[in-house]
Amino acid sequence: MQRSRTKGRPTGRERVPRSAVVALVPVILAIACQVQGLRLLWLKWEGVDVAVFEADTYAQGVRHAIALGSAWPWDLTGRFWPFLLMAPGIYLHLPLMAALPGGLPVLVFQGLAMGLTALLLALLARREGADPALAAGLALVWMLHPITGVAFAWGWSPYATAAPLLVGGLLALRAGRRRAAGVLLPVAAMMKINVAIMVGGLALAAAVGLVGGEWRRAGRVATGVAAAWVLVVGAVFAGATWCIGTLSEDLHIGGPSPATAAGSLTLLLVLAPLLPLLGRRGLLLSAAATGVELVYTAVVNPANSGLVPAAAVVAAAAALDLPTRPRPGWRLALAGLLALVGQQVFQPPRISPLPLTPAGLAYRADPRGAAVRAWVDALPDDAWLLTFDPVNGAIGRHPGRVVEPQEWDGRTRVAVLLDRALADRLGLAGCTAALVPESERGPEIVAGWCGERPPGPEERATPNLECLDGLELDRP
């Protein structure tokens, strides 16, 4: 009788699918990768590592613009203002930068965007029929990917924000949520023109039925809209950079270029971990959405940060194919191994170490960074700060004006924060003193006050349109 009452009732083990239990392993590992990535970003910021200086320079531009009450592109980024014309999504980050001054909040935001991308990839794989273990495995592959590792080791860029927006937009398309896709994908396109090209590629893929037959007509319309956006924004950017004389430099087709890893190696490390997961549809979708970006990386600019959203799109294409691929578990294991090996091989200059390398796991903040950052934080809010690499990653919370050596007139009183060699070349040895000593982590940094003339009233920034110099305008 007792036996009949329990017959057919699932036991505790039967109530929990085996795949859900197996999924706990990649979930725990993915969370560990997230924690390690955030830890590395935090420590690099704390030690004023040159790898993350962009976060503080952007944050300082916002803080100074708020103090001035003006936030035109040239107020925010100075000489690099044309980039905001093709990346208006930067303005969507201003509330965060205004509420939480300094570079650390946007670095944490970038790291969390990588974790959110992993979660959305898992949801997309589940939506396509993958069991929990496979979906969690794909999320782990993303967290192990060398390009995700780069996002956990370098300064802030709106490109990183585009990654979860693109994956979320594709998830919305597959789920038939037109309004959600209609918000996520255009916002992603605003992050930079390269991402707009990816959105156009996704629209083209939808137009030919790769995303779902019901999206063909909408895909054709979206392809036209994306193409128009890219042409207009690209023309405005090209015109602005030509006007200020930096077109070839900013397009990386001339002028000084930073040392980078080889384009072919970078491209290999982007694709190799994800190729085992892709079928015919995934390959076509990846080519349509990221082909332009990958060619640009291989031929022109290996240091292209657009690889973060590009890799996310390829991973999303893998999520579509994974449930139908033979031996998906083994394919995921191979992808994870290739991704982890890729992190060990990829050592881009000024960015390394990546979080899952031995050096990344053992990384400690440069103790000199705290002294540099404290000196900047103690400056009067209205002080002019003269600084340059390698310490311009300490300026994020300073609301006053920041000038580089070539911008200083030599007389205006400024707070100086420079490495010893540059300060000596500028003739500033007599008004500066050692702030932190030289070490294996970097040169000696000196600080002090130089110049005798007090700063004049703050002038409104201008776009520096050199092409208009000498142009005679009709005056009434």
Side-chain angles (χ1 to χ4, degrees):
M1 206 56 191
Q2 179 70 24
R3 194 172 196 176
S4 65
R5 285 199 301 268
T6 60
K7 185 177 181 181
R9 180 184 299 174
T11 65
R13 177 172 295 183
E14 292 170 335
R15 284 196 296 268
V16 180
R18 181 175 180 272
S19 61
V21 176
V22 175
L24 287 176
V25 175
V27 166
I28 292 172
L29 291 176
I31 292 173
C33 292
Q34 172 79 83
V35 171
Q36 165 59 8
L38 290 173
R39 168 188 171 274
L40 183 61
L41 282 173
W42 187 299
L43 293 177
K44 285 193 172 187
W45 176 84
E46 187 177 37
V48 194
D49 193 301
V50 294
V52 297
F53 79 93
E54 291 98 335
D56 268 73
T57 54
Y58 269 108
Q60 196 281 327
V62 171
R63 188 141 168 77
H64 183 55
I66 291 172
L68 288 178
S70 180
W72 291 101
W74 38 89
D75 293 313
L76 296 176
T77 58
R79 121 97 177 95
F80 296 99
W81 66 266
F83 284 94
L84 268 71
L85 301 178
M86 65 173 182
I90 287 178
Y91 279 94
L92 298 178
H93 299 83
L94 260 59
L96 173 65
M97 294 180 170
L100 301 172
L104 183 59
V106 289
L107 288 174
V108 172
F109 182 81
Q110 175 168 291
L112 293 176
M114 296 302 98
L116 178 58
T117 302
L119 175 61
L120 292 170
L121 286 169
L123 293 175
L124 180 58
R126 286 287 288 155
R127 167 66 183 70
E128 298 301 311
D131 65 35
L134 290 178
L138 179 61
L140 176 59
V141 168
W142 168 256
M143 298 302 285
L144 295 174
H145 197 283
I147 299 303
T148 306
V150 170
F152 278 125
W154 60 291
W156 174 80
S157 169
Y159 270 137
T161 304
L165 293 171
L166 287 168
V167 178
L170 187 55
L171 175 59
L173 287 176
R174 295 295 294 170
R177 298 187 176 183
R178 185 182 300 268
R179 291 182 179 177
V183 171
L184 293 173
L185 294 175
V187 172
M190 293 174 63
M191 295 303 153
K192 208 166 185 181
I193 193 172
N194 308 51
V195 183
I197 295 174
M198 295 179 207
V199 172
L202 287 175
L204 179 62
V208 299
L210 289 176
V211 177
E214 70 276 17
W215 295 108
R216 289 178 182 270
R217 184 171 179 274
R220 290 193 293 269
V221 174
T223 301
V225 172
W229 170 269
V230 169
L231 289 174
V232 170
V233 172
V236 171
F237 171 77
T241 53
W242 170 79
C243 197
I244 65 175
T246 61
L247 175 62
S248 61
E249 178 183 343
D250 290 340
L251 292 181
H252 296 277
I253 56 177
S257 298
T260 64
S264 56
L265 172 62
T266 302
L267 192 61
L268 175 65
L269 293 174
V270 171
L271 295 176
L274 299 172
L275 284 177
L277 310 179
L278 296 170
R280 179 175 175 273
R281 178 177 61 169
L283 288 170
L284 291 174
L285 180 61
S286 298
T290 67
V292 173
E293 189 71 22
L294 298 180
V295 170
Y296 176 66
T297 298
V299 177
V300 179
N301 181 20
N304 180 23
S305 53
L307 290 174
V308 176
V313 170
V314 178
L320 301 183
D321 284 345
L322 181 61
T324 61
R325 301 290 284 157
R327 298 177 179 265
W330 286 105
R331 289 177 180 274
L332 275 174
L334 175 59
L337 178 61
L338 291 173
L340 188 56
V341 169
Q343 281 222 28
Q344 316 310 308
V345 173
F346 197 35
Q347 297 181 7
R350 291 172 61 95
I351 295 177
S352 299
L354 302 190
L356 301 182
T357 62
L361 293 168
Y363 186 90
R364 297 294 182 269
D366 186 343
R368 305 177 312 150
V372 172
R373 200 174 295 281
W375 190 86
V376 174
D377 290 346
L379 292 175
D381 286 353
D382 59 351
W384 285 23
L385 174 59
L386 175 68
T387 190
F388 197 60
D389 191 36
V391 286
N392 48 2
I395 64 175
R397 291 197 289 252
H398 182 60
R401 183 178 176 185
V402 174
V403 295
E404 294 185 355
Q406 69 271 17
E407 300 172 316
W408 184 45
D409 60 13
R411 296 183 59 197
T412 300
R413 186 163 177 77
V414 293
V416 175
L417 183 69
L418 296 169
D419 73 81
R420 168 67 74 183
L422 180 54
D424 289 346
R425 287 200 302 271
L426 295 174
L428 302 179
C431 55
T432 58
L435 177 63
V436 295
E438 181 181 7
S439 76
E440 70 279 0
R441 304 288 288 270
E444 178 185 6
I445 303 300
V446 299
W449 289 88
C450 301
E452 70 281 354
R453 183 174 63 193
E458 191 74 58
E459 297 180 0
R460 189 186 183 98
T462 61
N464 297 323
L465 297 175
E466 280 81 353
C467 66
L468 300 182
D469 289 348
L471 183 64
E472 294 185 2
L473 300 177
D474 292 334
R475 291 181 174 86

